[in-house]
Amino acid sequence: MADISIQLTITEDSNFESLRNDPIQFSKLLGTEQQRLIDDHVVDQLDDQDGAPTLTDFSISNILFDRMTLKGSFRLHFKISRQFCCSDISSCQTDYMDFNFTKEDKKIYATGSYTLWTIQ
């Protein structure tokens, strides 16, 4: 299980206190580059690469933050979407990653790891 590190930037017109109380607004900190890094990280760990898996529908929940240590955590939800080229079949599986983060001024440094949940 490998870790991934991403950096989120709080925009000048955003207040961190309001962001951490609003998961939809917090999710907007996750830019295209971070989504691509997470997509690459998760897809690389999948045993089954059929259907060209890609991540979609990112959202964040369970935001926790300790003001004293400036550390926190959140859960990133996403769907693993697949489109099979030999047919008109597509599939989607919901999954998540947990991240721990440290806040420094307008930057959030987050580290998480993806656990592949397969039943043998």
Side-chain angles (χ1 to χ4, degrees), residues 58-97:
F58 290 91
S59 65
I60 291 177
S61 69
N62 301 357
I63 303 167
L64 301 174
F65 183 68
D66 181 340
R67 289 183 191 155
M68 297 298 286
T69 63
L70 299 178
K71 294 183 180 190
S73 63
F74 61 86
R75 177 165 285 175
L76 176 67
H77 301 268
F78 50 82
K79 291 181 181 174
I80 303 172
S81 299
R82 299 171 187 262
Q83 178 68 46
F84 298 93
C85 62
C86 298
S87 67
D88 291 335
I89 297 174
S90 62
S91 73
C92 198
Q93 168 191 349
T94 302
D95 213 337
Y96 68 89
M97 287 178 64

Side-chain angles (χ1 to χ4, degrees), residues 26-78:
F26 195 97
S27 295
K28 291 180 181 180
L29 297 178
L30 194 64
T32 306
E33 179 64 20
Q34 291 83 11
Q35 289 179 16
R36 186 191 59 75
L37 290 170
I38 295 165
D39 185 297
D40 291 347
H41 175 76
V42 171
V43 170
D44 284 348
Q45 294 184 56
L46 298 176
D47 292 334
D48 179 8
Q49 297 290 324
D50 288 344
T54 187
L55 304 188
T56 61
D57 298 339
F58 290 91
S59 65
I60 291 177
S61 69
N62 301 357
I63 303 167
L64 301 174
F65 183 68
D66 181 340
R67 289 183 191 155
M68 297 298 286
T69 63
L70 299 178
K71 294 183 180 190
S73 63
F74 61 86
R75 177 165 285 175
L76 176 67
H77 301 268
F78 50 82

